[in-house]
Amino acid sequence: MTTMTQTSARFREFKMPDVGEGLTEAEILKWFVQPGDTVTDGQVVCEVETAKAAVELPIPFDGVVHELRFSEGTTVDVGQVIITVDVAPGSGDEVPAPAPVQEPVEAAAPVSEEPKGRTPVLVGYGVAESSTKRRPRKGAAAPEAAAVAAAVQAELNGHGAPAPAVPEALVDAPPVGRPLAKPPVRKLAKDLGIDLATVVPTGKDGIITREDVHAAAAPVVAPEAPVPSASAPVTAEAPAAAVPASARETRIPIKGVRKAMAQAMVGSAFTAPHVTEFVTVDVTRTMKLVAELKEDKDMAGVRINPLLIIAKALLVAIKRNPEVNATWDEANQEIVQKHYVNLGIAAATPRGLIVPNIKDAHDKTLPQLAASLGELVTTARDGKTSPAAMSGGTVTITNVGVFGVDTGTPILNSGESAILAVGAIKLQPWVHKGKVKPRQVTTLALSFDHRLVDGELGSKVLADVAAILEQPKRLITWA
């Protein structure tokens, strides 16, 4: 099934699809085509951002773009027509006048009659296989150009020898196509106010990387640099013009991940009665275990850190106190106990706070859990977390210690019963075997839904986690 309609034999419409799990709207971040451009089956025509992910949309037929119904920055409801394509150009039929382009400031209203209801489509599955291949990327960097670009970017980053002179053929070459970059990189550039056309790519085949964007933004965030690079003035001055130094306020539109996170936090805070308990614990033995695991051949190739042991400790505590792993069904007036654990890990990304989860974490061995944690973090940082990965969580861990704070009172992820906050691990004086010694200590905080979890149950779960971190051998004796 595809999200397209056919107004005549000549013109076909492509609607905003449901890009994941019932989302109702998406913002058009970037159009890659304009009216008059030729498109082919499977070619990406635009990039959109939902509350959960940035996604490129391919069009499922060949033709010539007739009109774009919405401009960049507009939020469009699922099921609305966003582009029409002339699939039989030159046939001599009467060409209808394009509809006015909807601007971001206007309400996103349908521009043509739509059937009631919508037809969900997962992008990438709704397009039938075609013998038509996606058009080749233009302007792939030649080896000589790539070498020059790499040297220039190295100089912008503040290391490496001065860049070699750019060959005359490259200087005189006309600009070709749009800059090559993955969607998360385009999103990062947009957030930082960087024009990708001004960024020197260092990636394979001339692809712009996240490091390239950060390097291009460096003159903006570090204005005290002695003399800006000759290639940087345009990039450095653009954001400054957008936010004058005299400005006392900056207004930022609430949308995408920030909007979804805000709605979820408000809904959780004012629906579930929160209780938070704290415990301070000596984790010296846990830190020794982490160091030993890093040398273990069976753990080679996976990332080992204290979060891994804390996650395993929470899973064991849930196994010992299964009633904590539940959700409140208000509609049916039931408590739904979960016999599985989808362990959420709160992650701060350039797009905002997201909480992807590890499916069936309770069934995983320590090496499997370590691999899943590493994959989850990498995917989140690259902006590639799928909507499915952020759905169905049962309990969550938030590691606020990475920011150097002792602990916090975390708000429950919507629909979950508990969230564990982990504070910074610090060397502190501690009474150990009757003597005051320097020990590695942290503070844990457990917030829980008091409709589901009473004080005794919540205290048992937190105490079990603390006991395991103090004596990691309990991972064996209790599991």
Side-chain angles (χ1 to χ4, degrees):
M1 184 183 295
T2 57
T3 52
M4 59 184 177
T5 59
Q6 187 168 342
T7 56
S8 69
R10 178 171 175 179
F11 295 93
R12 302 179 78 173
E13 299 175 336
F14 182 65
K15 299 178 181 180
M16 177 66 74
D18 177 359
V19 295
E21 303 210 349
L23 297 174
T24 59
E25 63 182 17
E27 178 192 354
I28 297 176
L29 294 180
K30 179 73 175 178
W31 281 110
F32 300 141
V33 296
Q34 294 297 325
D37 289 354
T38 299
V39 294
T40 57
D41 182 359
Q43 177 182 329
V44 172
V45 294
C46 68
E47 180 186 11
V48 301
E49 181 184 29
T50 69
K52 294 184 176 181
V55 181
E56 289 186 338
L57 299 184
I59 197 159
F61 39 79
D62 303 336
V64 175
V65 177
H66 175 57
E67 61 178 329
L68 307 180
R69 294 288 181 89
F70 297 92
S71 62
E72 294 176 358
T74 305
T75 298
V76 182
D77 290 336
V78 168
Q80 288 188 264
V81 176
I82 59 174
I83 182 174
T84 59
V85 174
D86 184 350
V87 295
S91 64
D93 294 343
E94 182 179 353
V95 179
V101 175
Q102 297 291 322
E103 298 296 332
V105 294
E106 298 176 352
V111 293
S112 63
E113 282 193 21
E114 305 294 345
K116 293 183 178 180
R118 56 188 177 87
T119 54
V121 173
L122 291 176
V123 174
Y125 294 89
V127 181
E129 290 188 5
S130 168
S131 59
T132 306
K133 296 182 179 179
R134 183 174 176 177
R135 65 178 178 180
R137 294 185 181 272
K138 299 178 181 180
E144 186 177 13
V148 172
V152 171
Q153 194 66 51
E155 188 175 13
L156 288 175
N157 289 341
H159 55 79
V166 180
E168 184 177 352
L170 294 178
V171 174
D172 297 333
V176 288
R178 64 186 182 93
L180 303 181
K182 296 180 179 179
V185 177
R186 293 185 182 279
K187 173 61 177 166
L188 175 63
K190 180 180 178 182
D191 292 342
L192 296 178
I194 301 300
D195 181 359
L196 287 176
T198 67
V199 178
V200 180
T202 63
K204 185 179 179 182
D205 296 328
I207 295 177
I208 296 173
T209 65
R210 298 177 67 89
E211 290 72 21
D212 298 337
V213 175
H214 283 300
V220 181
V221 298
E224 67 277 6
V227 180
S229 169
S231 61
V234 175
T235 303
E237 293 173 5
V243 184
S246 60
R248 293 170 63 85
E249 295 180 347
T250 300
R251 290 183 173 268
I252 302 172
I254 301 172
K255 54 187 178 181
V257 170
R258 175 66 61 181
K259 180 179 179 180
M261 184 269 291
Q263 292 173 340
M265 291 298 97
V266 170
S268 176
F270 292 97
T271 300
H274 283 56
V275 172
T276 305
E277 295 186 339
F278 306 87
V279 64
T280 302
V281 59
D282 176 4
V283 295
T284 305
R285 290 187 179 90
T286 288
M287 298 306 291
K288 290 180 179 178
L289 176 61
V290 169
E292 292 172 0
L293 289 175
K294 289 181 178 180
E295 304 299 325
D296 193 322
K297 292 186 294 183
D298 292 334
M299 301 295 288
V302 295
R303 186 178 180 182
I304 308 299
N305 55 27
L307 180 60
L308 171 63
I309 308 302
I310 293 167
K312 194 65 176 178
L314 179 58
L315 292 171
V316 172
I318 292 172
K319 184 176 181 180
R320 286 167 54 86
N321 305 276
E323 297 85 359
V324 75
N325 189 37
T327 188
W328 184 273
D329 187 342
E330 181 67 28
N332 294 315
Q333 287 294 290
E334 294 176 338
I335 293 174
V336 182
Q337 290 192 354
K338 307 293 180 65
H339 304 300
Y340 59 90
V341 181
N342 290 344
L343 182 62
I345 304 294
T349 74
R351 296 178 61 241
L353 175 67
I354 62 174
V355 188
N357 60 76
I358 299 172
K359 308 299 183 187
D360 294 325
H362 63 291
D363 280 338
K364 295 185 180 296
T365 63
L366 196 63
Q368 291 171 339
L369 186 62
S372 296
L373 276 171
E375 181 181 356
L376 179 148
V377 172
T378 300
T379 303
R381 287 178 178 171
D382 291 343
K384 298 178 181 178
T385 303
S386 67
M390 291 183 280
S391 301
T394 59
V395 294
T396 291
I397 296 176
T398 177
N399 185 11
V400 297
V402 297
F403 304 110
V405 300
D406 292 332
T407 192
T409 54
I411 297 177
L412 294 168
N413 199 26
S414 183
E416 298 182 9
S417 59
I419 178 171
L420 178 70
V422 182
I425 298 175
K426 300 178 180 179
L427 200 63
Q428 296 183 18
W430 192 265
V431 178
H432 177 67
K433 295 182 179 180
K435 296 181 180 180
V436 176
K437 297 182 179 180
R439 305 285 287 180
Q440 291 174 300
V441 177
T442 190
T443 299
L444 307 175
L446 183 72
S447 291
F448 50 87
D449 184 343
H450 215 341
R451 297 174 300 178
L452 296 161
V453 183
D454 58 24
E456 180 185 9
L457 177 58
S459 299
K460 285 182 176 179
V461 172
L462 185 58
D464 280 356
V465 174
I468 293 171
L469 296 181
E470 188 173 17
Q471 293 282 357
K473 66 182 181 182
R474 292 190 172 107
L475 287 173
I476 301 173
T477 58
W478 287 0

